[in-house]
Each structure stands twice: as structure tokens, then as C-alpha cells.
């Protein structure tokens, strides 16, 4: 995520976002967390890609996984450090240049800020960064096209079939999908899809 307007929104709303999501009861995502972690070996190395305020990275770490974290927002990275002791690499998605470095990559509602034209290459980068058979979790909002929400954040929307095809084209095999509805920072209720895949 390198869109300046989106980063500015998160810079101003970082604390509110952390208070509303990082410290909230996120139990409705427990099945997604379990679907991801149950496929990983003990002490697996996980990358939280677009980690936000660090709450998922902290949960992985507490479970005994080795955790790396990336986010394009310096303000979110600072909260991850101060609240959870998570060191975050402040970088955009295209900075992911590792090869066969991770057992799992968790991209929970982060890649939706990437333009549609860029997502295929991001998925290829993620596939290259995973060890053979590595596990990938991606959460995205359902819809079509791209645009900005009322807060000014950039979003790209996809159908479930589009995402499955994009993942397949990047070399992934999708093993699980789940749809749900949730309220985001902007206040609206939107439908999302979670996909779990292996490299």
C-alpha cells in the first residue's frame, strides 16, 4: 500500500483503528486463524503482510511462531511496537523480495488497498516468498471496480471467483473460502471473503 491519501487516513486514525480492532473481541475470525495456523509446522515463520497495529502478529508470536511483520504506515508500525513489542518493517507490498523464506503469509484485509492492476504481481511475490507448500491467508472485500471510501482510503474490490483465479494464476491452490459481513473503520457493513491457499 503506497497510496498517499490512504496512508494519511491511517496516520490520523491509527489509534482509533487500534482501539477498535486490535483491542476488540475479534473472535469471529477465529475459524480463519485456526484454518491458517493448523496447517503450519511448529515454530513456523510467518509474515504478517500489512500488519496494521500488530494484533495478529502478536497472537502468532504468543502461540510460539516466529513472526515478521510489514506495513506501509509508520504510525501503525509504532503502535505494533509500543502495544505488542512487534518490530515492523515499514515498507510497501512491492518491497517483498524474499524467496522461500516463510512457512505462512497472512494478508488480512491489507492487499485490498493495492490497485487491481498490481495485485497479480503482488500475489506472485507472495508465492515466491513462501516455502514449497507454504500457507497463504488473504482477506478481501467483495465487489467490483475500485475507488475511495468516505474516509478517502483507496480500495480494490473483487468477486470470489476472480480472487480464486488470480491465486491459481500465481501458483496457489485454494483450499478454503469463507464469506462474512463486518463493520470497518468507515462504519459501513460490507461483505468480505477469506481464502486459505497453499503454494
Amino acid at each position: 500500500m503506497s497510496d498517499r491519501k490512504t496512508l494519511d487516513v491511517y496516520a490520523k486514525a491509527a489509534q482509533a483503528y487500534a482501539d477498535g480492532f486490535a483491542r476488540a473481541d475479534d473472535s469471529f475470525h477465529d475459524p480463519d486463524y485456526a484454518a491458517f495456523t493448523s496447517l503450519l509446522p511448529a515454530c513456523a515463520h510467518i509474515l504478517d503482510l500489512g500488519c496494521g497495529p500488530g494484533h495478529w502478529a502478536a497472537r502468532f508470536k504468543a502461540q510460539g511462531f516466529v513472526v515478521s511483520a510489514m506495513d506501509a504506515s509508520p504510525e501503525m508500525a509504532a503502535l505494533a511496537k509500543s502495544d505488542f513489542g512487534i518490530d515492523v518493517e515499514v515498507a510497501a507490498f512491492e518491497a517483498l523480495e524474499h524467496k522461500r523464506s516463510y512457512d505462512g503469509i497472512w494478508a488480512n484485509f491489507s492487499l485490498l488497498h493495492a490497485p487491481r492492476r498490481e495485485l497479480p504481481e503482488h500475489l506472485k511475490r507472495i508465492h515466491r516468498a513462501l516455502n514449497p507448500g507454504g500457507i497463504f491467508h488473504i482477506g478481501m472485500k467483495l465487489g467490483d471496480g475500485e475507488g475511495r471510501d468516505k474516509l478517502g482510503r483507496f480500495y480494490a474490490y473483487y468477486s470470489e471467483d476472480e480472487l480464486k483465479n488470480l491465486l491459481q494464476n500465481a501458483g496457489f491452490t485454494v483450499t478454503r473460502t469463507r464469506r462474512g459481513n463486518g463493520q470497518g473503520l468507515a462504519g459501513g457493513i460490507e461483505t468480505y471473503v477469506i481464502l486459505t491457499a497453499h503454494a
Side-chain angles (χ1 to χ4, degrees):
M1 177 183 68
S2 56
D3 177 72
R4 187 71 256 165
K5 289 184 179 179
T6 302
L7 288 171
D8 286 346
V9 172
Y10 281 118
K12 295 173 183 175
Q15 190 63 59
Y17 186 92
D19 290 342
F21 294 94
R23 299 183 182 91
D25 177 11
D26 218 0
S27 59
F28 58 91
H29 279 307
D30 282 352
D32 310 316
Y33 179 91
F36 177 70
T37 57
S38 66
L39 299 172
L40 297 172
C43 302
H45 188 184
I46 297 172
L47 171 64
D48 189 348
L49 182 63
C51 67
H55 51 303
W56 289 112
R59 187 170 176 179
F60 295 133
K61 187 176 179 181
Q63 193 173 334
F65 294 114
V66 177
V67 179
S68 297
M70 287 178 62
D71 200 277
S73 167
E75 293 79 12
M76 289 291 190
L79 284 172
K81 179 65 173 179
S82 63
D83 290 356
F84 300 109
I86 300 295
D87 291 314
V88 178
E89 178 185 357
V90 178
F93 299 129
E94 50 267 31
L96 180 61
E97 297 179 347
H98 298 275
K99 294 182 179 179
R100 297 193 172 191
S101 299
Y102 305 104
D103 300 299
I105 294 180
W106 176 269
N108 201 51
F109 302 103
S110 55
L111 287 164
L112 43 66
H113 292 305
R116 288 173 61 92
R117 68 181 183 278
E118 296 179 6
L119 186 61
E121 189 57 39
H122 292 322
L123 293 177
K124 290 177 185 176
R125 286 191 185 93
I126 290 166
H127 191 273
R128 287 195 296 266
L130 281 165
N131 292 324
I135 307 304
F136 179 45
H137 161 105
I138 180 172
M140 302 286 273
K141 294 182 179 182
L142 290 175
D144 56 73
E146 53 189 23
R148 296 189 183 276
D149 68 2
K150 68 180 185 181
L151 299 178
R153 295 177 297 176
F154 176 88
Y155 279 98
Y157 300 90
Y158 300 85
S159 71
E160 184 176 323
D161 285 341
E162 274 186 291
L163 289 170
K164 287 179 178 178
N165 289 334
L166 285 165
L167 286 165
Q168 183 177 352
N169 290 341
F172 288 99
T173 300
V174 176
T175 57
R176 174 183 179 272
T177 64
R178 182 183 73 83
R179 292 190 184 198
N181 297 292
Q183 183 175 15
L185 185 65
I189 302 295
E190 295 181 278
T191 302
Y192 61 81
V193 63
I194 304 290
L195 298 98
T196 307
H198 65 78

